[in-house]
Amino acid sequence: MNDVKYGDILLPGEEAETEKRAAKVKKGFWPVFKRAFAQLPFARDVVASFYCAFDSATPKRVRAILLGALAYFILPFDTVPDLLAVVGFTDDVAVLAAAIAAVRSHLRPEHYQRADKALSEEDEAR
């Protein structure tokens, strides 16, 4: 028997949409992140959010929020084009910051440990 928590109930079809979004985020996150890394003042939180979104222990509602924000970050459909230096990522940063603030209590130390490892490997690759 599953322990259903408030906010974890998805309507029919929403789980399939979340899975599609998850596949796009997983595929596109690192290339976009590498391009925008220098402009993100909270890169560690973004990478920890990535790992939180793909952690099976994370509640579905939280995963959906994070995947939505991360999808907005990586997908080319944007309010302000990301091709514009610095300004182009301001809307992405705002969406990510709002999502992280909303679910911060679900970002666990192991998500940050994985983020630190990924970021240190990225620094070594430069």
Side-chain angles (χ1 to χ4, degrees):
M1 182 170 131
N2 288 341
D3 180 24
V4 178
K5 295 177 178 70
Y6 178 76
D8 284 352
I9 299 172
L10 297 175
L11 297 174
E14 286 182 345
E15 193 162 332
E17 280 301 311
T18 299
E19 291 307 315
K20 285 181 195 175
R21 190 179 302 140
K24 288 180 183 177
V25 168
K26 207 169 209 177
K27 181 179 178 185
F29 177 77
W30 290 109
V32 174
F33 181 79
K34 287 176 186 175
R35 282 198 321 263
F37 179 74
Q39 292 144 18
L40 287 176
F42 55 102
R44 184 175 183 246
D45 290 318
V46 173
V47 178
S49 296
F50 173 82
Y51 288 116
C52 181
F54 289 98
D55 183 346
S56 60
T58 300
K60 290 179 183 173
R61 178 186 62 82
V62 172
R63 291 181 73 195
I65 290 169
L66 291 174
L67 288 171
L70 292 167
Y72 186 83
F73 177 63
I74 65 157
L75 295 175
F77 309 108
D78 223 333
T79 306
V80 180
D82 294 337
L83 299 174
L84 301 172
V86 182
V87 176
F89 284 104
T90 56
D91 60 321
D92 301 88
V93 168
V95 169
L96 287 167
I100 291 168
V103 300
R104 184 167 298 284
S105 65
H106 294 280
L107 294 172
R108 296 193 315 268
E110 55 266 26
H111 299 140
Y112 281 103
Q113 290 167 355
R114 290 183 73 189
D116 291 341
K117 183 177 182 211
L119 291 171
S120 68
E121 288 171 359
E122 181 62 29
D123 286 341
E124 291 170 8
R126 286 186 206 172

